[in-house]
Amino acid sequence: MFALYKKELQSYFLSPVAYFVIAFFMATFSLTLVMDISNVSSATYEFSFPTIFYTNLFYFIFLIPLLTMRAFAEERKNGTETLLLSSPLNVTQIVLAKFLATATILLIMLVASLFYPIVTSIYGRVIWESLICTYIGFFLFGLVCAALGIFISSLTEMPLIAILISELAMLLLLLMDNAAQTAYLSSIPILSDALDWFSNQTKFYVFSQGLLQISDLLGYVTEILVFLIWTIISVEKRRWSRG
């Protein structure tokens, strides 16, 4: 499994995809930071890192599909999926290796963004407790999107279709909070509770306030596991159909 993980991670950096995604994320993060700074007095500047991360959630969901479309859709398009599925690894190991490779890219992106709070702490003050929780929430949301993107990638052999559907699905995940608050859905307790469970904006907001709640952690972990299990079922079904 580690060999496949290493191969998947190397493949990201052997193509321009990983470099583009990391560079674009840093560019949007930098631009958001600059725009968020407000001149309070002649010598004082204040800005909120949680606000910057919240804004970048929307950019984030358009970047992750560029990574996850490689998981299975590109394998099928290039005809290499047959070799992958005939390897000694079981489907669970294959899915986990691809998921962990994507998670590593997300982690590299977040580590790179630490440059800004570190510099800020040198010349000013950073509320590290809140910032660490914000990083955790942002990373967990990224893992949810990665798991969802890999699942969608397993359903098609067209990378472009995988990207478009993944972006739409991730946008729906992010906007599910708004749907749960509509008058019609609020009148259906079971459906409203289910949407609240998958309400990623609310979870991230709690994290950005410096709070770590077990219910929110379980919510993120549940979403990740659900999408990974669906992916395993999808790939396993195709593996058996090939005989």
Side-chain angles (χ1 to χ4, degrees):
M1 176 178 159
F2 178 75
L4 179 59
Y5 161 78
K6 184 178 178 182
K7 172 183 171 296
E8 290 293 324
L9 190 58
Q10 288 177 338
S11 69
Y12 280 123
F13 291 101
L14 291 175
S15 71
V17 174
Y19 300 102
F20 172 79
V21 169
I22 294 172
F24 191 86
F25 173 75
M26 289 301 296
T28 56
F29 192 92
S30 303
L31 181 62
T32 309
L33 185 147
V34 171
M35 294 178 63
D36 200 57
I37 294 175
S38 58
N39 193 354
V40 179
S41 68
S42 60
T44 304
Y45 291 88
E46 293 183 358
F47 57 90
S48 168
F49 277 110
T51 301
I52 294 170
F53 274 104
Y54 180 79
T55 303
N56 276 272
L57 282 177
F58 294 91
Y59 298 117
F60 206 46
I61 61 176
F62 291 102
L63 292 176
I64 295 180
L66 297 177
L67 299 173
T68 58
M69 65 93 178
R70 299 172 58 89
F72 290 102
E74 195 169 88
E75 294 267 13
R76 293 173 73 181
K77 180 183 177 182
N78 295 335
T80 56
E81 188 189 50
T82 302
L83 293 174
L84 181 65
L85 296 181
S86 60
S87 69
L89 297 176
N90 59 47
V91 172
T92 300
Q93 291 173 317
I94 292 172
V95 171
L96 285 178
K98 289 178 175 291
F99 173 72
L100 291 175
T102 306
T104 302
I105 300 296
L106 300 181
L107 189 59
I108 291 172
M109 293 165 60
L110 293 183
V111 170
S113 71
L114 276 171
F115 168 80
Y116 295 105
I118 290 174
V119 171
T120 302
S121 68
I122 295 174
Y123 296 100
R125 177 172 175 264
V126 174
I127 305 175
W128 284 103
E129 296 81 2
S130 174
L131 183 60
I132 290 171
C133 290
T134 301
Y135 266 99
I136 293 173
F138 196 84
F139 183 58
L140 287 173
F141 175 71
L143 294 182
V144 170
C145 290
L148 174 58
I150 290 173
F151 167 62
I152 293 173
S153 179
S154 72
L155 300 177
T156 178
E157 61 181 18
M158 301 179 66
L160 181 59
I161 297 299
I163 290 174
L164 294 176
I165 296 178
S166 295
E167 288 178 352
L168 178 60
M170 291 173 195
L171 185 61
L172 290 175
L173 263 186
L174 200 56
L175 298 179
M176 205 168 285
D177 305 66
N178 305 78
Q181 295 171 7
T182 60
Y184 175 73
L185 293 178
S186 298
S187 64
I188 309 175
I190 295 178
L191 186 56
S192 179
D193 290 342
L195 290 175
D196 283 335
W197 179 258
F198 287 95
S199 56
N200 290 281
Q201 278 196 66
T202 301
K203 291 191 191 75
F204 179 75
Y205 177 77
V206 173
F207 275 97
S208 69
Q209 299 305 301
L211 301 174
L212 284 175
Q213 295 187 166
I214 298 299
S215 60
D216 294 325
L217 286 171
L218 287 177
Y220 275 132
V221 172
T222 300
E223 289 183 74
I224 294 167
L225 290 176
V226 166
F227 293 135
L228 289 180
I229 290 171
W230 286 354
T231 305
I232 292 169
I233 293 172
S234 171
V235 177
E236 191 72 66
K237 182 180 177 181
R238 194 160 60 253
R239 190 179 202 179
W240 279 103
S241 68
R242 292 175 180 272

